[in-house]
Amino acid sequence: MNNAARRSFSMIGLIAVMLVTLLMSACGGAGKEAAPPAGTTPETVKPKAEDPASLKGEVIWQYPNTTWPEADIKNMIADFNKKYPNISVKPVLGPLEPMIAAGNPPNVATNNRLEANWIMDGLFEELTPYIKKDPTYKPESLFHQVLYEIPQFEKGQYGLPMYSNPTYALIVNNKIMSQYGEKSIPKLQGLKDTDEFFKKFWIMKNGEYEMTGENPLFYYGILSGLFFVAYLNGADPSTFWNPETKKVNFNDPKIVDALDWLYTFNRDTINQQAYTQLKAQLPKNTHPFVAEKQAMMVVTSNQVKDFRKAKPDLDITVLPAPQASLWNGGSNLAIVKAGKDKDAAWTFIKWMTSSEEGAESLYNRLGLLTPMKTSKFLTEQSKNDPDLKVFLEINAQAKKWIPQFPVAYDTEYRKLFPDFQAGKITAKEMMDHVNKEVQKRIDDFYASKKK
């Protein structure tokens, strides 16, 4: 074959290869993506990471907690801006409704409870579309289940948990335990053994208190104690409120018996006059536990910190309260429909609730625990902080919460409590009345939404 013939044959071969390539491309269908690289599947090809600096916008963040120092809020926003320098965040302290009524709605709201009326009136965005934008974001497995479910309403997700509030721990003064012959802390299972352990340390001599213990009637407000003890007595959130049937059951025997125990313990065990006298003898603003005049106590994480700070040489053990009584709470963050720049709002919410940077900032700036199941930062911190380790354990163990009632549920309870405390009405009479009044409010609430 001469050279001209060889060149002609080579050209024909090249044209044939090009035609085959074009045909194969055409078989793929117009507009379809190219096949993934060898050894991968469409599921393993990760979406291109978004450049945080390319995201721009403004977040107006409403928060109601006056105990969060303004300087720490600003520092947390500065932490956010390290990753998202072109999203500005303006925090606004105060309740949400007046801001909306004044025509100045934020785009991020902080809620301490689920506001069913706000959701039913269309105030908040349903977050499922935002969640689905990122196929790698799986909040249902990221958060503690209790916290993730609190801002849910009729199968919609109307917020993400901002932080966790694991409640409660039990602390004991080891020196006092030894002094009174307590070699170990019993495992409290219910009201009977809790009653026995709590009573041991209310010790009087010559009409004065030598030592005191816990008064469960006043755990952080008269209602928190009811939930704590009712849960210890076998109740759960659905005992109080069933969102499926829209019925409350405050006069359930588990709840009534818990309230009766709170009252009976307070009446029969504690001499209020002698206790008042003891506290009057202590240095101003000194808690009996810090003065080593209280042997044991049920506490929050902030109280543990305060006690450690007030008296660093206190020899105390911190452990989870009885497991049946543990519950979790906190606040959630929602996107306000009337607000602007919702993508920036979502970016801010997701960073604060679902990132390691957010978890670190929440803890360092506000002393709050992330709602995520695990955090490398907090795990590392807990290696040198046994108190934090206990509250992380409570986080993992707590399966209960204070129910998210659609209306105010505490008005009648607080109104009747002084008469109950004075022995003018029984626990059953009080809770029958509370149940009737709360149910009426709930029925009226749902009836008004149908109009």
Side-chain angles (χ1 to χ4, degrees), residues 137-438:
Y137 184 58
K138 304 294 182 185
E140 67 277 5
S141 58
L142 178 69
F143 298 115
H144 290 288
Q145 183 180 353
V146 163
L147 300 179
Y148 185 59
E149 290 181 355
I150 285 176
Q152 292 177 0
F153 182 76
E154 295 182 352
K155 299 181 180 179
Q157 191 73 39
Y158 290 92
L160 291 183
M162 175 184 167
Y163 64 88
S164 170
N165 181 21
T167 310
Y168 296 101
L170 174 67
I171 60 172
V172 298
N173 183 308
N174 295 315
K175 183 175 74 174
I176 295 173
M177 290 289 133
S178 176
Q179 179 182 339
Y180 289 99
E182 293 293 326
K183 296 181 180 179
S184 61
I185 302 168
K187 190 172 183 180
L188 308 177
Q189 300 286 354
L191 286 187
K192 185 177 182 298
D193 47 6
T194 299
D195 182 74
E196 292 172 356
F197 183 65
F198 279 24
K199 281 180 178 176
K200 284 184 178 181
F201 304 105
W202 288 93
I203 302 169
M204 291 189 74
K205 283 189 176 180
N206 302 320
E208 295 183 356
Y209 271 118
E210 176 184 275
M211 185 57 60
T212 66
E214 181 63 284
N215 182 358
L217 188 63
F218 298 108
Y219 284 148
Y220 315 106
I222 56 178
L223 261 170
S224 289
L226 176 63
F227 285 105
F228 178 90
V229 179
Y231 289 160
L232 184 60
N233 197 37
D236 58 39
S238 66
T239 311
F240 286 86
W241 159 243
N242 187 327
E244 300 293 328
T245 62
K246 297 180 173 58
K247 298 295 182 184
V248 289
N249 199 19
F250 279 91
N251 54 358
D252 183 279
K254 295 185 183 73
I255 301 170
V256 172
D257 290 348
L259 182 60
D260 190 59
W261 177 77
L262 287 167
Y263 168 74
T264 304
F265 185 98
N266 185 71
R267 181 196 64 193
D268 296 348
T269 306
I270 302 170
N271 183 314
Q272 293 296 340
Q273 183 177 349
Y275 186 54
T276 301
Q277 182 179 340
L278 168 70
K279 291 195 293 183
Q281 294 170 353
L282 301 178
K284 188 177 180 180
N285 298 324
T286 300
H287 195 283
F289 192 89
V290 174
E292 298 195 271
K293 284 293 185 178
Q294 183 169 342
M296 48 77 63
M297 188 176 174
V298 175
V299 293
T300 64
S301 59
N302 285 336
Q303 279 187 303
V304 175
K305 291 177 184 176
D306 291 343
F307 292 166
R308 296 280 195 196
K309 184 177 180 180
K311 192 170 184 181
D313 62 344
L314 271 177
D315 180 15
I316 65 176
T317 294
V318 184
L319 65 161
Q323 186 164 350
S325 68
L326 299 179
W327 52 275
N328 212 334
S331 292
N332 66 80
L333 298 175
I335 296 179
V336 181
K337 274 191 178 181
K340 301 176 182 178
D341 233 340
K342 295 185 177 65
D343 287 339
W346 174 247
T347 299
F348 178 67
I349 288 175
K350 193 174 167 186
W351 176 86
M352 190 182 294
T353 65
S354 314
S355 71
E356 274 294 329
E357 299 98 323
E360 184 172 350
S361 185
L362 272 172
Y363 187 75
N364 285 340
R365 307 307 184 188
L366 299 178
L368 300 174
L369 300 184
T370 177
M372 297 190 297
K373 289 180 181 177
T374 58
S375 161
K376 292 179 181 177
F377 169 76
L378 288 180
T379 299
E380 284 300 313
Q381 288 290 112
S382 68
K383 290 178 180 178
N384 298 311
D385 186 344
D387 297 339
L388 173 61
K389 185 177 181 181
V390 170
F391 282 96
L392 291 179
E393 289 174 11
I394 297 173
N395 243 358
Q397 294 174 20
K399 305 300 181 187
K400 298 176 182 179
W401 64 97
I402 290 183
Q404 301 294 303
F405 300 94
V407 300
Y409 64 93
D410 58 345
T411 307
E412 292 301 313
Y413 185 92
R414 295 182 186 281
K415 185 189 299 182
L416 293 174
F417 192 82
D419 285 345
F420 167 67
Q421 190 180 357
K424 295 179 181 179
I425 55 175
T426 66
K428 179 70 164 58
E429 290 168 341
M430 178 175 170
M431 299 315 285
D432 280 343
H433 180 81
V434 168
N435 199 73
K436 180 181 178 181
E437 291 300 316
V438 174

Side-chain angles (χ1 to χ4, degrees), residues 93-155:
L93 174 63
L96 177 62
E97 285 180 304
M99 297 179 193
I100 294 174
N104 299 311
N107 51 6
V108 174
T110 309
N111 304 306
N112 293 324
R113 58 186 292 267
L114 181 72
E115 297 287 356
N117 58 323
W118 290 353
I119 293 170
M120 294 178 78
D121 291 341
L123 188 65
F124 297 141
E125 293 277 355
E126 208 278 305
L127 296 183
T128 301
Y130 294 86
I131 293 170
K132 286 184 176 180
K133 285 181 182 178
D134 183 353
T136 65
Y137 184 58
K138 304 294 182 185
E140 67 277 5
S141 58
L142 178 69
F143 298 115
H144 290 288
Q145 183 180 353
V146 163
L147 300 179
Y148 185 59
E149 290 181 355
I150 285 176
Q152 292 177 0
F153 182 76
E154 295 182 352
K155 299 181 180 179

Side-chain angles (χ1 to χ4, degrees), residues 1-13:
M1 184 182 295
N2 58 33
N3 290 336
R6 286 192 184 95
R7 285 195 296 272
S8 176
F9 183 80
S10 297
M11 184 62 67
I12 291 170

